[in-house]
Amino acid sequence: MFSRADVERIARLARLELTNDEKDLYARQLADILEYAAQVQAVDTADVAPTALGVTGTAEWREDRVAPSLPRDEVLRAAPAADLAAGLFKVPRVLGS
Amino acid sequence: MNAAGIREGIAQGKTSAVEVCRRSLDRIDAAAALHAFQHVDRDGALARATDLDARRQELTRAPLAGVPIALKDNMCTTGAPTTACSRILEGYRPPYDATVVRRLRDAGAVIVGKTVCDEFAMGSSTENSAFGGTKNPWALDRIPGGSSGGSAAAVAAGLVPIALGSDTGGSIRQPAALCGVVGLKPTYGRVSRYGLIAFASSLDQIGPLSQTVRDAALVMNVIAGHDPLDATSVDVDKPDYVAALTGDVRGLRIGVPRHLLRDGVEADVTAAFDRAIDTFRGAGAIVADVELPHASLAIPVYYLIATAEASSNLARYDGVRYGRRAPADTLTGMYERSRGRGFGPEVKRRIMLGTYVLSAGYYDAYYLKAQQVRTLIRRDYDRAFDRVDLVAMPTSPTPAFPLGERVADPLSMYLADVFTVAANLAGLPGISVTCGFSAARLPIGLQLMGRAFDESTVLRAADAYERETAWSRERPPHYWS
């Protein structure tokens, strides 16, 4: 049901680098799990609205008020690479090279 | 060791917060073989206890003054690492406290450390922790349940009177059952998740694990309630949960879905469950059969919805803002490598499954369909609660299984949640209390589910059961007193 190429396509969507062993393992296991999960498809759900949250109809409007946010330096300090003085996270070069 | 007693002892000057804290820390050290803790904040806890002792007079009203509490390692805590037991968050120190942590601190609690869990709370055995799993205090060769296994083991072994866990598909109730303690999953929206590391946002709830139902009620009085920082937190009246514990279940209507107990449930579990129902009948409750026609679909629905939401929630771990980064030449390569190396096997499996069911061409067949069946499951419970006040069933179909038994077969691990996922899908409160032991002397849990926002009835019935029986006073072979 799942080829190596299928697994690679999903992994690319999920931004996951997988080893070849992982690809083979997941191809097998995802097929098993989906075969089991497919039993939901036999249920008649005509005119049944989907449930998206555990408890519905509770969201309310609130005023848009300014409130303190997290201290920038502390947030940046938790990053693998950041420039505190500039207030920026650092990532590999994105433009040009 | 219970919180109510500790608080009273400190208030009466019979003991001090420092003494209680030191005793808890010493037990945690002595119980290192259980590996219940991912991080112990010895210095921070003792400093906090010293401060509480100095301010004893002003704290007489603080409901948890001097009570040592452990937190599952997926709740953001300043002053301690928070990793969700994942390599990708190794060493992460959050710049803020989760709302539950802030509320516990305001109530006078002493946070002693962070407990081991399945990575990102994904699992039913705590074996998916990237830093080693937890052992069951009743039998060291068995799993403690999961994903809040460290919290359950810590309470069962007497290391702390209370721990917080999170429950997405049973992760508080199932380990509570398997370790022989009390575990409550509140109604969706009852307790703020601000600062909880998200797994599946339409299902996640935070709740207490404790040795007594009274302690669970005490914690609920502190952590429940509306929080503007969590948009799903609901602004409804919060009753006094301790005051609700009247011990009286006369006339209470308890529904039993007999049709669920026929297959796949171990005989010891069924026998203990039947005796528990008899106990309720004897105490004046009215027992009735209820039908939950879509119950067998709860596991597939749960694993479709939870993985879809997880794949979306875990997109944030990209090696940029927190945690570990694996170097690569390109930005995309950095994302892929950081995630590939930072996540463990079960987390990757779920991200893959969730990405697939949300991807173009499969969304309607899997994700939308699962959400529709979720509605049918919810309606089953709505109908049941027209006739009864509580629905009772075992918490887990088996007692604690051996370490390693189900690791290679994800589907068999998923089936451990067969009785617990429905409460999350329907957003309902559920509690697990010990209702007996297997022939091998492993605890068995009774689950009671209630109407949305009716934790009071759930706690009242569980407390009444605890008074009628002696199970909650049984101690495991690995217990520190």
Side-chain angles (χ1 to χ4, degrees):
Chain A
M1 188 174 165
F2 272 95
S3 64
R4 173 75 77 85
D6 290 330
V7 170
E8 285 172 350
R9 182 183 63 85
I10 304 165
R12 202 158 44 243
L13 287 171
R15 294 276 185 263
L16 279 177
E17 185 180 87
L18 299 181
T19 64
N20 285 334
D21 284 351
E22 285 176 320
K23 288 175 193 171
D24 293 339
L25 180 71
Y26 290 150
R28 205 175 63 238
Q29 290 180 334
L30 292 186
D32 285 350
I33 296 166
L34 281 165
E35 189 189 322
Y36 172 76
Q39 58 182 295
V40 300
Q41 285 157 1
V43 183
D44 180 6
T45 53
D47 304 320
V48 177
T51 292
L53 277 183
V55 170
T56 48
T58 52
E60 2 170 334
W61 294 97
R62 62 165 175 80
E63 272 181 73
D64 187 16
R65 270 196 303 264
V66 177
S69 54
L70 297 174
R72 191 180 71 181
D73 284 1
E74 278 182 51
V75 173
L76 288 171
R77 257 192 285 273
D83 183 332
L84 262 67
L88 299 168
F89 295 109
K90 288 166 86 170
V91 296
R93 179 180 288 277
V94 183
L95 300 171
S97 55
Chain B
M1 188 190 198
N2 66 74
I6 288 170
R7 190 184 164 277
E8 207 178 290
I10 293 174
Q12 292 171 352
K14 288 181 187 156
T15 183
S16 67
V18 168
E19 198 182 316
V20 171
C21 180
R22 194 161 279 140
R23 212 158 52 215
S24 174
L25 292 167
D26 289 349
R27 290 172 188 178
I28 293 169
D29 282 350
L34 291 178
H35 197 239
F37 279 80
Q38 175 65 18
H39 175 80
V40 182
D41 186 16
R42 175 170 271 275
D43 295 345
L46 281 170
R48 162 81 170 155
T50 306
D51 177 56
L52 289 170
D53 281 336
R55 298 189 294 127
R56 182 175 298 188
Q57 295 310 319
E58 55 180 290
L59 288 169
T60 50
R61 280 179 200 282
L64 294 171
V67 176
I69 291 186
L71 304 167
K72 186 176 181 178
D73 197 34
N74 62 351
M75 297 172 201
C76 286
T77 316
T78 54
T82 298
T83 69
C85 290
S86 178
R87 294 249 174 243
I88 210 161
L89 277 176
E90 198 169 2
Y92 174 60
R93 286 181 172 264
Y96 67 103
D97 276 334
T99 294
V100 288
V101 177
R102 187 175 49 73
R103 288 184 177 174
L104 287 175
R105 293 194 207 270
D106 289 348
V110 176
I111 312 285
V112 293
K114 311 295 290 288
T115 56
V116 176
C117 56
D118 286 298
E119 182 177 1
F120 285 106
M122 296 179 190
S124 308
S125 69
T126 311
E127 291 167 295
N128 294 332
S129 161
F131 309 111
T134 301
K135 295 179 168 60
N136 192 315
W138 290 90
L140 297 182
D141 58 347
R142 305 233 165 204
I143 57 110
S147 64
S148 311
S151 288
V155 172
L159 313 183
V160 284
I162 291 168
L164 290 191
S166 65
D167 190 315
T168 304
S171 281
I172 290 173
R173 292 160 287 155
Q174 185 255 19
L178 272 41
C179 287
V181 301
V182 176
L184 173 72
K185 181 203 92 75
T187 310
Y188 186 79
R190 181 58 103 178
V191 176
S192 168
R193 292 104 44 91
Y194 178 70
L196 173 70
I197 293 178
F199 160 15
S201 298
S202 81
L203 305 162
D204 299 338
Q205 256 298 289
I206 293 173
L209 296 102
S210 53
Q211 282 186 1
T212 65
V213 175
R214 181 161 292 264
D215 277 359
L218 195 60
V219 175
M220 282 299 288
N221 276 356
V222 171
I223 63 171
H226 182 239
D227 176 17
L229 296 174
D230 174 358
T232 63
S233 142
V234 179
D235 194 1
V236 290
D237 282 348
K238 179 175 112 181
D240 181 336
Y241 296 108
V242 176
L245 309 180
T246 60
D248 187 1
V249 292
R250 282 174 297 173
L252 191 73
R253 296 167 304 170
I254 299 178
V256 177
R258 282 275 155 216
H259 63 108
L260 297 185
L261 304 176
R262 285 183 204 126
D263 302 317
V265 185
E266 274 190 21
D268 286 351
V269 173
T270 314
F273 175 76
D274 288 342
R275 280 196 305 273
I277 295 304
D278 285 342
T279 301
F280 275 110
R281 211 182 268 118
I286 300 158
V287 178
D289 280 358
V290 289
E291 293 283 326
L292 301 166
H294 300 91
S296 67
L297 295 160
I299 290 281
V301 166
Y302 172 80
Y303 278 93
L304 291 169
I305 289 175
T307 56
E309 293 184 13
S311 75
S312 168
N313 268 326
L314 271 60
R316 74 191 66 186
Y317 303 102
D318 55 6
V320 175
R321 288 159 297 166
Y322 23 66
R324 260 166 52 132
R325 170 184 296 186
D329 294 337
T330 65
L331 184 61
T332 307
M334 187 276 281
Y335 293 154
E336 291 176 339
R337 192 161 298 164
S338 297
R339 292 164 60 78
R341 294 181 185 177
F343 291 134
E346 179 62 22
V347 173
K348 282 189 266 196
R349 186 157 39 239
R350 295 200 193 190
I351 291 174
M352 292 287 287
L353 184 61
T355 302
Y356 177 76
V357 304
L358 290 176
S359 65
Y362 302 98
Y363 180 92
D364 285 2
Y366 287 111
Y367 185 62
L368 182 64
K369 191 77 183 182
Q371 285 189 314
Q372 289 175 306
V373 180
R374 182 176 182 180
T375 302
L376 298 176
I377 291 168
R378 214 185 62 207
R379 284 182 191 163
D380 284 353
Y381 279 90
D382 286 347
R383 262 184 225 115
F385 285 121
D386 282 343
R387 296 181 46 229
V388 296
D389 304 303
L390 294 171
V391 170
M393 60 183 86
T395 311
S396 161
T398 68
F401 45 88
L403 290 165
E405 187 185 81
R406 302 191 187 186
V407 173
D409 181 3
L411 209 46
S412 73
M413 188 72 88
Y414 297 172
L415 290 171
D417 302 334
V418 65
F419 291 129
T420 46
V421 293
N424 303 81
L425 292 169
L428 304 172
I431 200 167
S432 181
V433 290
T434 307
C435 68
F437 288 83
S438 69
R441 204 164 159 68
L442 297 167
I444 293 167
L446 164 73
Q447 180 180 213
L448 299 169
M449 295 163 63
R451 296 188 182 91
F453 299 103
D454 192 15
E455 286 84 359
S456 291
T457 302
V458 171
L459 287 162
R460 170 163 62 96
D463 171 67
Y465 179 76
E466 199 177 80
R467 295 186 200 198
E468 292 279 335
T469 58
W471 305 120
S472 71
R473 290 188 289 278
E474 301 277 332
R475 296 290 172 250
H478 300 275
Y479 182 82
W480 284 265
S481 58

